[in-house]
Amino acid sequence: MLSKQELLYEGKAKKVYRTDDPKYYWIEFKDDATAFDGAKKGKITGKGEVNARLSALLFPRLAVQGIPTHFVELLSPREMLVRELKIVPVEVVVRNIAAGSLSQRLGIAEGTPLKRPVLEFYYKSDDLHDPMINEYHIAALELASEEDLALMKNYALKINEYLIKFLQPANLVLVDFKLEFGHHEGKLMLGDEISPDTCRFWDARSGEKLDKDRFRRDLGGVEAAYQEVLRRVEALV
Ligand code: TMP
């Protein structure tokens, strides 16, 4: 049994602790919420637990689909043991329906289905506010090898296909989501979390937003939406 050691890093939504084994990290999911690059700050009570539990439910299912992940086990409702990853500084966004920054940038009404999934890449840099980049930037700046980029694209599309189908019986529409990858002992794996913080989930019947957009846009009912997503997904399994 590994024990929690000193705090290594505190991010906007998670704390990462060392363990007595350098191969594993202990993550605590916080209720703190930020949006617009940290400009908006708040708290979503129960979010840490929802995000940890939802991620703990989804990661092993993705592993079964052939997607290696950093997840090892849920240690408490909001704490997770994960493999240590050397993070690839590229965030991968997958979109099925126009929303958020894509709608703004391209002038496409929110809710417009895209004819095929759209992949986007963002350079993970707080100083630069995560600018959007393309595959040429990734290669030229050596942010990821060609092999890893191909794997990240392949995994991202597979995860999308799997999650769309998995969430369907819960009446949850997967609008878009963000993924992060890293290397553990040289192997590329999915990291971070899969949650209403990192995905857009819409109710299939009403179109109601059940994700962090309720916080970003001050729509109210934020906590209830997070609980609702977890409740629906837990009812599936
Ligand atoms: P966007 O429309 O704001 O670009 O967001 C696309 C998806 O990525 C959406 O599901 C939310 C997620 N996302 C994050 O997880 N972290 C971020 O910092 C941003 C900007 C988006």
Side-chain angles (χ1 to χ4, degrees):
M1 178 63 191
L2 294 173
S3 64
K4 189 173 179 176
Q5 304 288 327
E6 74 273 20
L7 181 69
L8 272 179
Y9 168 80
E10 178 159 4
K12 292 176 207 156
K14 295 188 229 35
K15 288 183 183 172
V16 182
Y17 296 87
R18 207 191 291 282
T19 67
D20 22 5
D21 185 336
K23 290 197 176 90
Y24 299 95
Y25 287 163
W26 187 298
I27 297 185
E28 188 184 310
F29 287 70
K30 306 193 293 181
D31 284 351
D32 298 334
T34 66
F36 313 118
D37 211 16
K40 182 183 172 93
K41 288 188 173 68
K43 205 177 167 107
I44 302 172
T45 303
K47 172 172 87 77
E49 197 171 318
V50 169
N51 291 1
R53 287 171 60 184
L54 194 64
S55 296
L57 205 146
L58 296 174
F59 279 134
R61 289 178 165 76
L62 294 177
V64 169
Q65 301 299 312
I67 312 222
T69 84
H70 71 155
F71 177 78
V72 179
E73 64 174 317
L74 198 61
L75 297 157
S76 82
R78 64 169 72 228
E79 292 172 296
M80 184 180 278
L81 189 68
V82 299
R83 294 176 186 89
E84 179 266 337
L85 291 187
K86 299 206 168 31
I87 291 291
V88 175
V90 174
E91 297 189 352
V92 181
V93 167
V94 184
R95 301 179 185 272
N96 298 304
I97 297 175
S101 70
L102 178 131
S103 288
Q104 287 198 337
R105 199 163 2 91
L106 302 182
I108 301 171
E110 239 186 20
T112 308
L114 301 166
K115 299 278 186 222
R116 45 175 287 183
V118 170
L119 283 187
E120 293 174 353
F121 306 102
Y122 293 86
Y123 178 32
K124 251 178 95 67
S125 161
D126 283 340
D127 291 345
L128 300 173
H129 313 292
D130 298 349
M132 191 196 259
I133 51 176
N134 65 31
E135 298 189 33
Y136 290 86
H137 298 108
I138 294 172
L141 306 180
E142 297 184 307
L143 302 180
S145 68
E146 263 183 53
E147 188 190 344
D148 284 340
L149 178 59
L151 262 182
M152 293 196 298
K153 288 163 60 178
N154 181 274
Y155 288 161
L157 293 172
K158 264 173 96 170
I159 292 166
N160 187 43
E161 278 180 34
Y162 176 78
L163 289 181
I164 289 173
K165 289 201 189 88
F166 178 75
L167 296 169
Q168 226 156 30
N171 282 314
L172 292 171
V173 175
L174 182 64
V175 174
D176 56 32
F177 58 99
K178 185 259 302 177
L179 301 171
E180 298 192 22
F181 295 90
H183 293 97
H184 178 77
E185 297 181 329
K187 185 174 171 181
L188 188 79
M189 295 185 184
L190 177 65
D192 198 43
E193 64 184 87
I194 301 181
S195 73
D197 270 15
T198 62
C199 304
R200 286 194 171 94
F201 298 122
W202 291 356
D203 179 79
R205 296 198 184 100
S206 65
E208 190 189 2
K209 297 182 196 317
L210 297 171
D211 54 58
K212 196 175 167 190
D213 272 345
R214 300 205 73 81
F215 169 79
R216 294 188 189 100
R217 304 178 189 190
D218 295 317
L219 300 175
V222 186
E223 280 85 1
Y226 276 71
Q227 296 296 334
E228 178 65 11
V229 170
L230 181 64
R231 191 192 64 75
R232 289 194 199 181
V233 175
E234 283 188 335
L236 292 176
V237 304

